[in-house]
Amino acid sequence: MSGYNFAYLDESTKRMIRRAILKAVAIPGHQVPFGSREMPLPYGWGTGGIQVTAAVLGPTDVLKVIDQGSDDTTNAVSIRAFFRRTAGIATTESTDAATIIQTRHRIPERKLREDQILVYQVPIPEPLGRLEPRIAETRRMHGMADYGLMHVKLYEDIARHGHIATSYSYPVMVNGRYLMSPSPIPAFDNPKMDQMPALQLFGAGREKRIYAVPPYTSVKSLDFDDHPFRPIRAPHACELCGSRDTYLDEVLTDDVGGRIFVCSDTDFCAERQAMKEAAE
Amino acid sequence: MSTPLLTARDLTLRFGRIAALDGVGLEIHPGEVVAIVGESGSGKTTLLRVLSGLMRPDGGEVSYLGQDVLGMSEAARRRLMRTEWGFVHQNPRDGLRMAVSAGGNIGERLMATGARHYGNIREQAAHWLTRVEIDPARMDEVPAKFSGGMQQRLQIARTLVTLPKLVFMDEPTGGLDVSVQARLLDLIRALVADLGLAVLIVTHDIAAARLLAHRMLVMRHGVVVESGLTDRVLDDPQHPYTQLLVSSVLAA
């Protein structure tokens, strides 16, 4: 598209974002402020992720965008179209073929590789925000690794519900130092972040923060010795591909209580269905 | 005599033209309860805030077991604050997390110092609730449902759970009615004796000071006008201001 720079953002903005990304990679889990720009989509739709993607995108990259694990929801389709038009790059729905994957809510089921980058759209980067409303104080707590408060939250969960009831945006310790919110991915996906070969970048547009987990970095979900972390999934098999170890969405099929459970990762599910058909 | 736990020398602090602290010095020894009395605006609370490192004085020094409190890093001071020190606020709302259950409130200091076993934390919380005479069955209720006296006792339990060596108390009985005050004073006295705590207590209640404190300092206009053993100061006040203060106490 003429009149725009490659991947929409001008080069000096990209340089500013790359500097923030480099700093974030150097201090795993630490939130780095950056000059978030106005993007042609509303806050909460992925302005942070889209800026990070624009900054790391090259002409030979292949982009995949998922929203709630799905490749064909409005947001995923629109962001792919946005980069196809502004950068002229190839897009894909296949996790395997992608070099950059922008995501909201999920980590793909297929294991990611060293030559891939996972970009998260983050609505609320501050894991302590709900417990300590003063930003200056939460930054001080990060600076001093004063994280007792986060365990108070988990304690309250167990006292009230008998188990840790936090099922998404479950807080993690990165590299044994920084407490990090993994964005609203289900707790089920938390273990995938640990020692992941791919680079993980997090962008929060409204809150103007970038943070990162470099490849092969330790990411541990917080828990208690006698109440260890458990990834939670619906106890069903996928209606379409029969998988029993993937994260499932519950889908209503009619207005008389009919419902089915299907894989939330549409690409993974389609791949398995194709394999099943080929075998038959 | 034992080495002092906390020593302060020549503390000065001015708020504009008003001298809140003017050359104040004191020592607290392990297991000792020291009361600071004086009228409103005499600099009592300011002194407490300076000694606990919450506020920086214009001049003077504070040392805790040989460490320079004013010069130490914020990280070191915070560590001290959640392990060896405690602070009991006048208003329990300032010291408690009102949206967190009683058990969570007590457990916070334990978790901040690395406790990661839910069962043990709950056991400790129940133990401390019993010690401050709150029914452990109410462990999962939020402090907002407690009475003022119970909230204050909960704040004390939350502070003492890590067995601090030195506790700062700012008017702990303020805003409570007399019978509740009496019970709270009794409780504080028992805990202090049991645990061998050193306590620095700020109060304008002379009777409370007599009941709790071994030694007392009388402050006026930012200056310590008189200090000594509690009974000596109250029974034989030397300074005219102390004489006025003692004679102003109402006898029921």
Side-chain angles (χ1 to χ4, degrees):
Chain A
M1 202 159 64
S2 67
Y4 285 99
N5 187 31
F6 176 78
Y8 185 76
L9 291 175
D10 60 274
E11 287 306 314
S12 57
T13 298
K14 284 194 212 166
R15 205 172 307 139
M16 174 269 294
I17 295 173
R18 285 174 197 147
R19 273 201 295 268
I21 291 174
L22 285 175
K23 193 166 173 183
V25 170
I27 316 171
H30 172 61
Q31 299 167 45
V32 181
F34 79 110
S36 176
R37 299 292 191 250
E38 287 280 334
M39 296 302 286
L41 75 168
Y43 285 133
W45 287 36
T47 52
I50 213 171
Q51 288 180 78
V52 170
T53 301
V56 297
L57 202 62
T60 55
D61 273 314
V62 181
L63 181 69
K64 169 185 163 85
V65 183
I66 47 177
D67 180 8
Q68 301 277 10
S70 164
D71 290 280
D72 47 15
T73 49
T74 313
N75 223 6
V77 171
S78 306
I79 293 175
R80 272 202 310 272
F82 174 82
F83 281 114
R84 250 196 328 268
R85 290 178 66 194
T86 57
I89 49 132
T91 59
T92 179
E93 295 193 358
S94 150
T95 305
D96 190 38
T99 56
I100 297 175
I101 302 168
Q102 183 175 331
T103 178
R104 176 178 179 77
H105 297 120
R106 282 308 311 278
I107 296 174
E109 304 287 357
R110 173 190 273 275
K111 264 183 95 70
L112 298 182
R113 302 181 312 259
E114 283 179 10
D115 61 344
Q116 293 179 312
I117 300 177
L118 187 59
V119 177
Y120 297 77
Q121 304 166 199
V122 180
I124 303 164
E126 181 50 72
L128 297 162
R130 287 261 175 91
L131 305 150
E132 175 54 69
R134 292 166 294 178
I135 297 282
E137 181 62 20
T138 58
R139 296 183 73 174
R140 204 169 293 138
M141 290 160 84
H142 281 296
M144 317 218 157
D146 196 351
Y147 293 137
L149 197 54
M150 201 72 238
H151 269 92
V152 173
K153 159 83 172 64
L154 299 181
Y155 170 95
E156 288 290 288
D157 257 13
I158 303 174
R160 264 176 217 168
H161 309 288
H163 59 96
I164 298 177
T166 308
S167 57
Y168 68 96
S169 209
Y170 191 108
V172 292
M173 275 302 266
V174 179
N175 204 21
R177 173 58 182 84
Y178 279 97
L179 182 70
M180 186 184 93
S181 164
S183 90
I185 61 169
F188 175 83
D189 281 345
N190 272 17
K192 294 182 192 156
M193 307 179 79
D194 187 34
Q195 305 294 340
M196 185 193 277
L199 170 64
Q200 304 175 70
L201 301 174
F202 300 76
R206 176 174 37 211
E207 308 285 333
K208 302 179 172 51
R209 293 288 184 275
I210 285 175
Y211 49 102
V213 176
Y216 303 108
T217 302
S218 134
V219 177
K220 295 275 174 273
S221 306
L222 296 190
D223 59 3
F224 285 101
D225 298 343
D226 49 345
H227 283 267
F229 169 80
R230 274 183 308 123
I232 305 159
R233 73 182 282 278
H236 298 276
C238 172
E239 192 82 12
L240 303 176
C241 75
S243 165
R244 292 192 163 274
D245 50 12
T246 53
Y247 194 72
L248 302 177
D249 282 341
E250 187 177 5
V251 180
L252 299 186
T253 52
D254 52 40
D255 58 358
V256 290
R259 59 191 55 194
I260 56 170
F261 287 88
V262 295
C263 285
S264 114
D265 185 339
T266 50
D267 171 55
F268 185 81
C269 193
E271 225 171 79
R272 272 181 57 101
Q273 289 175 59
M275 260 165 52
K276 235 163 64 174
E277 264 167 42
E280 275 162 15
Chain B
M1 204 164 175
S2 60
T3 51
L5 212 51
L6 189 81
T7 317
R9 267 208 306 264
D10 296 328
L11 293 174
T12 55
L13 179 61
R14 301 189 69 87
F15 296 128
R17 282 169 43 219
I18 301 157
L21 298 176
D22 190 358
V24 176
L26 62 83
E27 279 186 356
I28 305 166
H29 292 264
E32 188 182 37
V33 180
V34 178
I36 304 171
V37 299
E39 61 195 6
S40 300
S42 59
K44 307 183 300 272
T45 300
T46 306
L47 177 59
L48 202 64
R49 292 179 62 85
V50 166
L51 289 176
S52 58
L54 291 175
M55 217 180 215
R56 287 199 74 83
D58 296 336
E61 48 190 81
V62 181
S63 79
Y64 172 76
L65 291 174
Q67 307 167 64
D68 178 11
V69 173
L70 303 172
M72 73 172 62
S73 70
E74 197 187 344
R77 193 177 62 72
R78 283 171 81 111
R79 199 174 316 117
L80 212 53
M81 208 52 167
R82 61 174 187 248
T83 53
E84 296 184 21
W85 289 4
F87 201 107
V88 176
H89 296 264
Q90 174 174 7
N91 187 343
R93 282 166 188 278
D94 296 337
L96 293 173
R97 290 191 189 277
M98 298 306 281
V100 169
S101 70
N105 264 293
I106 297 179
E108 181 175 347
R109 274 170 78 105
L110 293 172
M111 291 184 253
T113 49
R116 292 290 178 265
H117 193 283
Y118 177 79
N120 293 354
I121 293 167
R122 266 183 99 71
E123 223 167 81
Q124 286 259 14
H127 168 73
W128 276 97
L129 283 174
T130 318
R131 280 198 89 157
V132 299
E133 299 166 22
I134 297 174
D135 183 359
R138 303 189 65 176
M139 176 143 66
D140 294 331
E141 287 179 31
V142 292
K145 288 191 182 169
F146 290 0
S147 69
M150 282 172 78
Q151 289 180 4
Q152 198 56 286
R153 278 180 275 145
L154 179 60
Q155 195 193 174
I156 289 171
R158 166 187 160 90
T159 308
L160 297 187
V161 67
T162 50
L163 301 174
K165 290 186 181 140
L166 174 62
V167 179
F168 300 95
M169 294 189 182
D170 187 7
E171 306 263 12
T173 57
L176 301 174
D177 62 50
V178 280
S179 59
V180 176
Q181 269 192 30
R183 205 168 149 204
L184 187 68
L185 288 173
D186 213 37
L187 178 78
I188 294 176
R189 196 159 65 154
L191 287 173
V192 164
D194 264 14
L195 303 170
L197 295 175
V199 178
L200 187 66
I201 183 167
V202 157
T203 181
H204 56 246
D205 184 346
I206 305 283
R210 188 195 276 273
L211 198 65
L212 288 177
H214 303 125
R215 276 194 308 127
M216 79 193 298
L217 284 77
V218 182
M219 281 188 78
R220 189 187 189 207
H221 298 331
V223 179
V224 176
V225 294
E226 186 163 356
S227 65
L229 297 176
T230 306
D231 289 341
R232 206 283 291 151
V233 173
L234 294 180
D235 294 342
D236 179 21
Q238 306 283 313
H239 191 274
Y241 175 70
T242 317
Q243 290 168 0
L244 177 74
L245 205 64
V246 171
S247 63
S248 309
V249 175
L250 296 175

